[in-house]
Amino acid sequence: GKQSLARVAAHLCGMKCIRLFVDPHHTLTNVMDEIKEGFKTAMLGSTVVFLLSDNDDLPDSLLEYASTLLTSGELPAIY
């Protein structure tokens, strides 16, 4: 579906794809760590795609982080 197409497109363009999700074993802290790793990868010159699925039950705080990232390009509380 859409997620597979996004992964293929990212791969074809030479981008690293990071899927962000929250479940009982993967907390918001883990997601923030993945975003930090994505930022580090981007600072080294690679392009990064953060993938969020609309089928996941995402907490409001993660959606707020994603919105802030999309509007301003930065996350104030990441470090």
Side-chain angles (χ1 to χ4, degrees), residues 16-20 34-35 37-38 41 48-52:
K16 181 178 179 181
C17 187
I18 299 174
R19 185 176 184 296
L20 303 177
E34 289 178 354
I35 292 173
E37 288 300 317
T41 302
V48 178
V49 173
F50 291 112
L51 185 61
L52 292 168

Side-chain angles (χ1 to χ4, degrees), residues 61-74:
S61 55
L62 178 58
L63 296 176
E64 189 173 326
Y65 283 131
S67 176
T68 303
L69 181 62
L70 290 171
T71 56
S72 69
E74 52 188 53

Side-chain angles (χ1 to χ4, degrees), residues 1-78:
K2 294 178 257 179
Q3 194 172 141
S4 298
L5 184 60
R7 287 179 182 272
V8 169
H11 178 73
L12 290 175
C13 293
M15 301 175 179
K16 181 178 179 181
C17 187
I18 299 174
R19 185 176 184 296
L20 303 177
F21 65 95
V22 175
D23 65 15
H25 303 290
H26 197 84
T27 64
L28 188 58
T29 305
N30 298 114
V31 172
M32 295 306 288
D33 289 340
E34 289 178 354
I35 292 173
K36 287 179 194 176
E37 288 300 317
F39 280 3
K40 289 177 186 175
T41 302
M43 288 188 323
L44 295 174
S46 297
T47 308
V48 178
V49 173
F50 291 112
L51 185 61
L52 292 168
S53 175
D54 57 347
N55 293 330
D56 293 337
D57 185 24
L58 301 173
D60 291 338
S61 55
L62 178 58
L63 296 176
E64 189 173 326
Y65 283 131
S67 176
T68 303
L69 181 62
L70 290 171
T71 56
S72 69
E74 52 188 53
L75 289 175
I78 190 116

